[in-house]
């Protein structure tokens, strides 16, 4: 492997659209927002492939994706080596070229820390905060104009609706309800950054609030940042939060805590009509809940989705539930 590392150049026809430098170790790639590298394309599976980068080179392993992983148009059946110049295809249309970097040419690596939740993720030199947190590229009209960030040298510039805010690398930025900082990847990695939030924010869910069911997000000073009052979305959050609390009380490990079957969630939201709604309606509902979380200063990745099940990821926020689950 080159001393500068390995880079994936994502292609739009034959033009490089964006680049992603692989960090040493494992990089999980897919459509789900908690991947290391998120590709928000319908033909890309939630957890599509795994890249392992080490002194011996780069290996790709397909994770049982629907539309496959291909190296030089040969489908990867289990694992395959990646070499300089290889064409990697993810699903039907996403293509990238493998490139070795010299130490001089290697771009700086940066991480964004979302202080509200303590979540950390690698970022390119330019990105949209709300899209990154929600895990897709769709605009959220209810939240107003998004924050477009770019990294220039040792400065971070955030622009929204024509107004720019600037901070040094490693300094906090308050962008609407989101408190973030961007750091140099040579200084800090994900394992140390995820503990940056000593006072996690709180998701408080009250089915018996005076104005109807609501889910409120509170900052570390217990100030309400915003409220969700759409009944179905509050119900989803309530069911998931209760599952987390019940599983913790039962002493389950974190990787087992909080998982609810999608069918049970649909029954909880729509009752006897759940089968008439179907999985597509549930996916839309999950998408809207994630948008609500981002709008209120949390991360869309707080709601984790796997095949046939969902959960609120434990440890990212404190949970307060006003009423014990029924039944």
């Amino acid at each position: 492997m080159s001393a500068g590392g390995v880079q994936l150049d994502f292609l739009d026809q034959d033009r490089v659209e964006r680049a992603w430098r692989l960090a040493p170790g494992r990089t999980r790639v897919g459509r789900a927002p908690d991947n290391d590298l998120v590709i928000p394309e319908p033909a890309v599976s939630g957890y599509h492939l795994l890249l392992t980068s080490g002194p011996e080179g780069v290996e790709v392993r397909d994770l049982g994706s629907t539309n496959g992983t291909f190296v030089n148009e040969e489908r990867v059946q289990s694992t395959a080596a990646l070499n300089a110049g290889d064409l990697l295809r993810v699903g039907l249309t996403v293509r990238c070229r493998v490139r070795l970097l010299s130490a001089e040419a290697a771009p700086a690596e940066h991480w964004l820390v979302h202080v509200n939740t303590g979540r950390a993720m690698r970022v390119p030199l330019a990105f949209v905060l709300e899209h990154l947190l929600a895990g897709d590229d769709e605009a959220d009209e209810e939240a107003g104009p998004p924050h477009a960030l770019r990294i220039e040298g040792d400065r971070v510039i955030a622009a929204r609706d024509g107004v720019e805010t600037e901070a040094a690398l490693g300094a906090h930025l308050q962008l609407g309800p989101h408190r973030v900082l961007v750091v140099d990847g040579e200084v800090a990695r994900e394992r140390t950054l995820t503990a940056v939030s000593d006072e996690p924010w709180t998701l408080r869910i009250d089915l018996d609030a005076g104005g109807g069911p609501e889910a409120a997000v509170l900052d570390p000073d217990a100030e309400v940042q915003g409220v969700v009052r759409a009944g179905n979305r509050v119900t989803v959050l309530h069911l998931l939060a209760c599952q987390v609390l019940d599983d913790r009380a039962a002493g389950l490990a974190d990787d087992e805590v909080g998982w609810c079957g999608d069918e049970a969630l649909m029954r909880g939201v729509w009752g006897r009509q759940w089968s008439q709604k179907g999985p597509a309606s549930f996916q839309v509902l999950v998408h809207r809940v994630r948008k609500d979380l981002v709008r209120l200063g949390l991360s869309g990745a707080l709601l984790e989705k796997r095949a046939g099940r969902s959960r609120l990821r434990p440890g990212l926020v404190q949970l307060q539930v006003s009423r014990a689950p029924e039944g």
Side-chain angles (χ1 to χ4, degrees):
M1 177 183 293
S2 168
V6 179
Q7 180 171 296
L8 300 180
D9 290 335
F10 285 82
L11 305 176
D12 180 2
Q13 297 184 355
D14 292 326
R15 180 178 61 87
V16 177
E17 184 178 40
R18 63 169 174 147
W20 184 271
R21 184 187 177 194
L22 292 179
R26 306 202 306 175
T27 299
R28 191 174 62 182
V29 181
R31 193 180 68 251
D34 58 333
N35 283 287
D36 302 301
L37 173 55
V38 177
I39 302 179
E41 294 289 338
V44 175
S45 295
Y47 303 94
H48 197 104
L49 63 90
L50 185 70
L51 294 165
T52 303
S53 178
E56 302 303 318
V58 180
E59 183 181 79
V60 58
R61 177 162 65 92
D62 187 83
L63 298 177
S65 65
T66 300
N67 293 311
T69 301
F70 300 79
V71 176
N72 298 326
E73 296 307 325
E74 292 287 334
R75 185 159 188 164
V76 175
Q77 299 300 327
S78 55
T79 62
L82 284 180
N83 300 301
D86 282 350
L87 181 68
L88 174 66
R89 176 156 65 87
V90 184
L92 301 179
T93 60
V94 178
R95 301 181 307 132
C96 55
R97 186 75 66 183
V98 179
R99 182 155 67 98
L100 298 183
L101 301 172
S102 66
E104 294 77 15
E109 178 184 312
H110 298 95
W111 289 75
L112 177 129
V113 183
H114 190 247
V115 179
N116 304 32
T117 60
R119 185 183 177 215
M121 62 211 84
R122 290 178 64 213
V123 292
L125 293 178
F127 58 94
V128 176
L129 177 64
E130 287 78 4
H131 296 174
L132 184 75
L133 294 175
D136 58 44
D137 289 328
E138 297 183 17
D140 184 0
E141 296 179 357
E142 295 180 3
H147 295 89
L149 280 74
R150 65 183 189 273
I151 303 168
E152 297 182 357
D154 62 353
R155 311 296 294 174
V156 181
I157 298 112
R160 187 189 199 198
D161 206 16
V163 178
E164 291 192 346
T165 304
E166 184 174 331
L169 280 176
H172 288 88
L173 272 168
Q174 188 71 44
L175 304 175
H178 305 283
R179 187 167 176 80
V180 302
L181 70 154
V182 178
V183 296
D184 190 326
E186 296 300 322
V187 176
R189 300 290 183 184
E190 183 175 15
R191 291 179 182 174
T192 59
L193 294 178
T194 50
V196 71
S197 180
D198 293 328
E199 299 178 286
W201 286 27
T202 299
L203 178 60
R204 184 181 67 196
I205 305 166
D206 188 350
L207 295 184
D208 297 322
E214 68 174 35
V217 173
L218 286 67
D219 69 12
D221 296 322
E223 295 292 332
V224 175
Q225 293 296 302
V227 176
V228 177
R229 290 195 173 89
N232 285 348
R233 302 180 208 176
V234 176
T235 299
V236 168
L237 290 170
H238 180 264
L239 293 170
L240 292 173
C242 287
Q243 189 68 52
V244 170
L245 296 179
D246 288 349
D247 288 351
R248 279 181 168 168
L252 297 185
D254 272 357
D255 60 350
E256 299 175 343
V257 165
W259 290 109
C260 288
D262 289 349
E263 182 177 319
L265 290 170
M266 287 190 283
R267 289 179 183 274
V269 172
W270 291 304
R272 294 180 179 178
Q273 286 76 41
W274 75 272
S275 60
Q276 300 173 21
K277 294 290 185 178
S281 295
F282 182 68
Q283 292 296 332
V284 171
L285 181 58
V286 168
H287 175 77
R288 290 175 176 169
V289 172
R290 281 178 171 155
K291 289 292 188 183
D292 284 331
L293 294 172
V294 171
R295 175 173 55 86
L296 300 182
L298 300 178
S299 166
L302 174 63
L303 201 170
E304 186 174 6
K305 190 79 183 67
R306 297 286 175 89
R309 55 183 185 155
S310 310
R311 73 167 177 173
L312 291 179
R313 295 176 66 190
L316 292 187
V317 296
Q318 295 178 344
L319 294 173
Q320 293 181 0
V321 181
S322 64
R323 190 177 73 178
E326 297 180 357

